[in-house]
């Protein structure tokens, strides 16, 4: 039976459990100025994902897909972590949290100081060749001449997982290992609509983890897998949790 909790209750749970793992999504970065995709005004309300975010679309019409990629880049590049990112980094530094599995591509967990970050959907600040996977430093790229090509002739792209592409095997393995090892899973800011990331909470639960969810609204995870729901903005609630933990 799912139960709603306060930041103070969550601090108590964190005190009583070891081996915390966080699974984060777009919602944790909203207060850093990066809109999630599904809320009103979000990218998916303006761009059809299959037309603009699938690997087939990118290879067929890269210039069109770069419209979306440039908009994402302009939003992500100046963004800085918010208190929720810093809270997870602090819990890791205190030896409570094993790591963060993030669906985000914005690098904000790393910027906040988190060391173990599983980039489940890649990282939009890195650019690679779609053909040879060679790296292309961002400062060498001229976004005014699109599309961008590698010396091998392949298309340069952000190192993110497009729709239609598999999760990088190393990230999938690390995510599975963390889910199976964890005692308390902190789900923050994900609607649970994107597969296969949305299987990780059930994997953790099947291996004995208690599941906490922090979202603005209940999601499909709330009824299916969540034990405790902390409803509200991550950037406002996590400082309260940390204060109750004595930070
Ligand atoms: P989503 O947009 O489907 O869901 C976001 C969830 O966060 C919603 O449940 C919403 O209620 C909640 N939320 C919004 N603001 C919040 C806040 N301040 N505090 C707590 N919760 C909040 O996001 P998703 O499940 O991550 O799936 C979208 C996909 O798009 C992911 O795969 C992700 O890779 C990608 N994406 C990434 C970024 C990013 O890197 N920052 C941004 C948008 C989308």
């Amino acid at each position: 039976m799912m139960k709603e909790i306060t930041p103070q209750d969550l601090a108590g749970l964190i005190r009583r459990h070891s081996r915390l793992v966080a699974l984060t999504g777009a919602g944790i970065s909203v207060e850093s100025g990066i809109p999630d995709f599904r809320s009103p005004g979000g990218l998916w309300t303006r761009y059809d994902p299959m037309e603009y975010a699938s690997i087939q679309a990118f290879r067929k019409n890269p210039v069109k897909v770069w419209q979306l990629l440039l908009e994402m880049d302009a939003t992500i590049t100046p963004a800085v972590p918010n208190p929720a990112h810093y809270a997870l980094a602090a819990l890791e530094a205190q030896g409570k949290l094993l790591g963060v599995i993030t669906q985000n591509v914005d690098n904000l967990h790393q910027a906040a100081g988190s060391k173990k970050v599983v980039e489940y959907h890649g990282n939009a600040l890195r650019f690679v060749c779609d053909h040879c996977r060679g790296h292309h430093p961002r400062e060498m790229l001229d976004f005014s001449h699109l599309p961008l090509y590698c010396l091998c002739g392949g298309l340069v792209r952000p190192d993110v997982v497009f729709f239609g592409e598999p999760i990088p095997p190393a990230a999938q393995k690390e995510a599975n290992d963390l889910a199976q090892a964890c005692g308390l899973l902190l789900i923050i800011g994900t609607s649970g609509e994107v597969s296969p990331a949305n299987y990780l909470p059930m994997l953790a639960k099947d291996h004995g983890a208690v599941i906490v969810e922090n979202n603005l609204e209940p999601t499909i995870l709330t009824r299916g897998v969540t034990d405790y729901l902390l409803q509200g903005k991550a950037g406002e609630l996590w400082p309260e949790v940390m204060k109750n933990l004595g930070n």
Side-chain angles (χ1 to χ4, degrees):
M1 189 66 182
M2 189 278 294
K3 187 172 178 277
E4 288 205 33
I5 54 167
T6 63
Q8 193 179 4
D9 299 331
L10 178 51
L13 278 173
I14 290 175
R15 243 186 251 110
R16 290 195 297 280
H17 285 83
S18 55
R19 295 175 292 110
L20 274 58
V21 170
L23 171 65
T24 64
I28 196 172
S29 295
V30 166
E31 288 157 273
S32 291
I34 306 173
D36 62 14
F37 282 175
R38 286 178 177 74
S39 299
L43 283 183
W44 291 160
T45 64
R46 288 181 288 125
Y47 292 99
D48 175 348
M50 284 307 130
E51 231 182 286
Y52 282 90
S54 72
I55 187 59
Q56 293 81 2
F58 179 74
R59 288 175 185 155
K60 193 168 155 209
N61 193 344
V63 174
K64 179 175 170 181
V65 172
W66 270 104
Q67 267 182 60
L68 166 77
L69 297 176
L70 287 181
E71 195 174 320
M72 272 177 60
D73 187 71
T75 313
I76 286 176
T77 309
V80 293
N82 68 56
H85 297 103
Y86 286 116
L88 296 180
L91 289 171
E92 183 186 12
Q94 292 162 16
K96 289 290 289 182
L97 185 110
L98 300 178
V100 178
I101 305 163
T102 189
Q103 299 166 80
N104 295 343
V105 295
D106 56 26
N107 204 52
L108 291 182
H109 288 297
Q110 295 87 332
S114 285
K115 300 286 179 249
K116 171 84 176 173
V117 181
V118 179
E119 294 176 339
Y120 202 74
H121 289 160
N123 187 318
L125 300 189
R126 278 196 311 266
F127 292 85
V128 293
C129 171
D130 187 46
H131 179 65
C132 72
R133 301 304 293 188
H135 280 259
H136 291 259
R138 191 177 189 288
E139 56 277 14
M140 304 291 283
L141 301 175
D142 177 1
F143 293 121
S144 62
H145 292 92
L146 295 172
L148 303 168
Y149 289 101
C150 179
L151 282 178
C152 81
L155 287 164
V156 174
R157 53 173 280 179
D159 191 8
V160 298
V161 176
F162 283 102
F163 283 110
E165 291 189 302
I167 304 303
Q172 183 67 67
K173 181 179 182 321
E174 284 181 273
N176 288 349
D177 289 349
L178 280 174
Q180 291 175 39
C182 97
L184 184 71
L185 183 69
L186 306 167
I187 302 172
I188 308 174
T190 175
S191 63
E193 300 283 343
V194 178
S195 177
N198 55 4
Y199 288 106
L200 293 167
M202 194 44 96
L203 181 64
K205 194 165 181 124
D206 283 347
H207 285 77
V210 171
I211 313 292
V212 174
E213 178 184 354
N214 168 208
N215 263 316
L216 290 187
E217 306 286 346
T219 65
I220 52 168
L221 298 171
T222 316
R223 205 150 42 100
V225 70
T226 297
D227 296 303
Y228 298 101
L229 177 67
L230 176 70
Q231 201 169 332
K233 290 186 177 178
E236 292 176 4
L237 294 172
W238 277 90
E240 290 295 311
V241 176
M242 297 307 281
K243 202 168 75 192
N244 278 285
L245 284 169
N247 286 260

